[in-house]
Amino acid sequence: MGGPLSGIRVLDVATLFAGPLAATLLGDFGAEVVKIEHPRGDPVRSHGAQRAGVGLWWKMLGRNKRSVTLYLGSEQGQEIFRRMVAEADVVIENFRPGTLERWGLGYEELGAINPGLVLARVTGFGQIGPYAHRPGFGTLAEAMSGFAAVTGEPDGPPTLPPFGLADGIAALTTAFAVMTALRARDASGRGQQIDMAIIEPILTLLGPQIIAYDQLGELQTRMGNRSVNNAPRNTYRTADGGWVAVSTSAQSVAERVMRLVGRPDLIEEPWFASGAERAAHADELDEVVGAWIAQRATAEVVRAFDKAEAAIAPIYTAADIMVDPQFRALGTIAEVPDDELGLIRMQNLVFRLSETPGAIRWAGPPLGAHTAEVLGDYGVDAERLRRLRAEGIVR
């Protein structure tokens, strides 16, 4: 169960979300990930829901990683870290720009130790520019990327997501960047730095906003659940109190929806043949579709749309996801045995490979669970480990 990335050694010295999640994605497919934490632990351990004092988010984010405590701000911690870097392929960090350099652990120093090292630097604003020194979180990226400006109701305020959207997008992009750099190393033998600014990947996913403003001077406005490109496209309440989402991105689907809800006459309207024109008549279309859906229970609505080959999905909570047959068929939710919490369930790997699948080998371990084991591989014997613990350099 080594996985396709078996043999790739990753040192994860990042905290919270974007950097650590990138390391998690690599570990899911077999990379040997060592999570190096401050002796206080990664803050994610106490972030969000807990059970019996154990952070549940950490159980997912820390999976397939060995936990080592090491204070990199100390000379002894830096010396041990350099030994680890000598045998590593990847380091993922998210300290403020200049911090590693101040500790003598910048890429110039680490690259001299290991010319093949890939150093992924994940920060809010990147390594250069007037904002590089600022503390950066995903929330700020969601604001500055334009995401919040276009999210929410037309007469409401800009809206932020209630989860780490920008961090998650940056994590996926960082994992891709690491694999790109490793592929380049295959050809050149040289590693390199990755400058990942969390404000950038989410901007790419927001579509043509930049080019539309450049070429047309247009700014996208908040439209709630509607789209400028097609209609009907919204969420609708069902008779039993549920919600469903309808999409009509394809013309043929829009026509099927109108036939289903008993209004085929609207298909003959001149404006109906264009998605943008349908969007201009969204009030009329929403009234028709919403009234039809409001008279029926959720399951009935979904069955009817499915039979008509029209696009619909119920609005799910985590409870619904756990029992949905499609997610079950895909294996989207994995069951993982854990020494602290017993059998736990969490999101599985983000994609499936037919020949070289990855696996969740273990959930996030207790803080420092592998300190003695891992540091022992780098010459730290029991007596030195005892002294390091007494000095607060490890836990």
Side-chain angles (χ1 to χ4, degrees), residues 194-215:
I194 298 167
D195 182 1
M196 179 62 63
I198 298 174
I199 58 175
E200 291 185 299
I202 186 173
L203 181 60
T204 296
L205 266 64
L206 284 170
Q209 290 188 58
I210 298 298
I211 193 169
Y213 179 71
D214 174 64
Q215 296 296 304

Side-chain angles (χ1 to χ4, degrees), residues 163-183:
F163 62 98
L165 176 63
D167 282 297
I169 295 171
L172 289 162
T173 311
T174 300
F176 170 63
V178 166
M179 297 310 300
T180 302
L182 290 175
R183 178 65 183 90

Side-chain angles (χ1 to χ4, degrees), residues 139-152:
T139 297
L140 309 187
E142 288 144 12
M144 288 183 62
S145 64
F147 173 85
V150 301
T151 304

Side-chain angles (χ1 to χ4, degrees), residues 197-272:
I198 298 174
I199 58 175
E200 291 185 299
I202 186 173
L203 181 60
T204 296
L205 266 64
L206 284 170
Q209 290 188 58
I210 298 298
I211 193 169
Y213 179 71
D214 174 64
Q215 296 296 304
L216 304 172
E218 292 182 353
L219 291 174
Q220 185 173 334
T221 58
R222 290 188 288 282
M223 300 186 65
N225 294 318
R226 289 179 173 175
S227 168
V228 296
N229 300 310
N230 62 81
R233 192 261 198 184
N234 212 326
T235 58
Y236 305 93
R237 189 83 182 221
T238 60
D240 56 353
W243 290 89
V244 293
V246 172
S247 175
T248 56
S249 295
Q251 178 67 25
S252 59
V253 173
E255 293 176 6
R256 291 172 199 151
V257 171
M258 290 303 104
R259 295 189 185 99
L260 174 63
V261 301
R263 290 300 304 273
D265 57 294
L266 291 176
I267 300 172
E268 305 305 320
E269 294 288 347
W271 50 262
F272 197 87

Side-chain angles (χ1 to χ4, degrees), residues 4-330:
L5 300 185
S6 180
I8 299 295
R9 296 184 176 184
V10 179
L11 303 179
D12 172 11
V13 297
T15 57
L16 293 173
F17 312 118
L21 181 55
T24 301
L25 297 170
L26 299 173
D28 283 349
F29 289 93
E32 301 166 22
V33 181
V34 173
K35 174 71 176 182
I36 299 177
E37 303 179 68
H38 189 285
R40 293 191 300 267
D42 188 324
V44 79
R45 288 181 177 273
S46 58
H47 207 90
Q50 301 203 359
R51 178 185 161 211
V54 177
L56 301 181
W57 203 337
W58 165 253
K59 284 298 175 183
M60 183 188 76
L61 198 61
R63 71 191 192 192
N64 293 333
K65 301 178 184 181
R66 293 192 289 172
S67 172
V68 170
T69 56
L70 187 65
Y71 177 44
L72 297 183
S74 67
E75 290 187 6
Q76 292 193 73
Q78 293 156 13
E79 175 258 320
I80 294 170
F81 183 66
R82 291 188 188 100
R83 292 191 206 176
M84 300 176 76
V85 165
E87 299 181 15
D89 297 286
V90 179
V91 171
I92 300 176
E93 64 96 3
N94 71 337
F95 297 104
R96 289 201 202 184
T99 301
L100 286 186
E101 285 75 11
R102 188 170 69 250
W103 290 340
L105 301 175
Y107 191 71
E108 185 175 338
E109 293 83 4
L110 299 184
I113 297 170
N114 181 352
L117 181 71
V118 172
L119 175 61
R121 316 192 75 168
V122 186
T123 58
F125 302 101
Q127 297 295 310
I128 59 174
Y131 304 159
H133 68 284
R134 293 181 180 178
F137 299 98
T139 297
L140 309 187
E142 288 144 12
M144 288 183 62
S145 64
F147 173 85
V150 301
T151 304
E153 294 300 323
D155 57 350
T159 302
L160 296 167
F163 62 98
L165 176 63
D167 282 297
I169 295 171
L172 289 162
T173 311
T174 300
F176 170 63
V178 166
M179 297 310 300
T180 302
L182 290 175
R183 178 65 183 90
R185 189 184 70 172
D186 290 343
S188 69
R190 300 287 302 179
Q192 59 186 297
Q193 292 188 81
I194 298 167
D195 182 1
M196 179 62 63
I198 298 174
I199 58 175
E200 291 185 299
I202 186 173
L203 181 60
T204 296
L205 266 64
L206 284 170
Q209 290 188 58
I210 298 298
I211 193 169
Y213 179 71
D214 174 64
Q215 296 296 304
L216 304 172
E218 292 182 353
L219 291 174
Q220 185 173 334
T221 58
R222 290 188 288 282
M223 300 186 65
N225 294 318
R226 289 179 173 175
S227 168
V228 296
N229 300 310
N230 62 81
R233 192 261 198 184
N234 212 326
T235 58
Y236 305 93
R237 189 83 182 221
T238 60
D240 56 353
W243 290 89
V244 293
V246 172
S247 175
T248 56
S249 295
Q251 178 67 25
S252 59
V253 173
E255 293 176 6
R256 291 172 199 151
V257 171
M258 290 303 104
R259 295 189 185 99
L260 174 63
V261 301
R263 290 300 304 273
D265 57 294
L266 291 176
I267 300 172
E268 305 305 320
E269 294 288 347
W271 50 262
F272 197 87
S274 162
E277 286 295 317
R278 293 200 312 273
H281 291 76
D283 286 343
E284 181 178 355
L285 294 173
D286 273 347
E287 183 177 352
V288 169
V289 174
W292 187 91
I293 289 174
Q295 297 172 13
R296 293 161 176 82
T298 305
E300 180 186 352
V301 171
V302 172
R303 283 195 302 270
F305 268 71
D306 190 33
K307 184 178 180 180
E309 298 183 349
I312 194 170
I315 305 296
Y316 274 176
T317 66
D320 302 310
I321 292 167
M322 291 289 219
V323 298
D324 181 84
Q326 181 62 32
F327 285 122
R328 283 186 172 178
L330 293 172

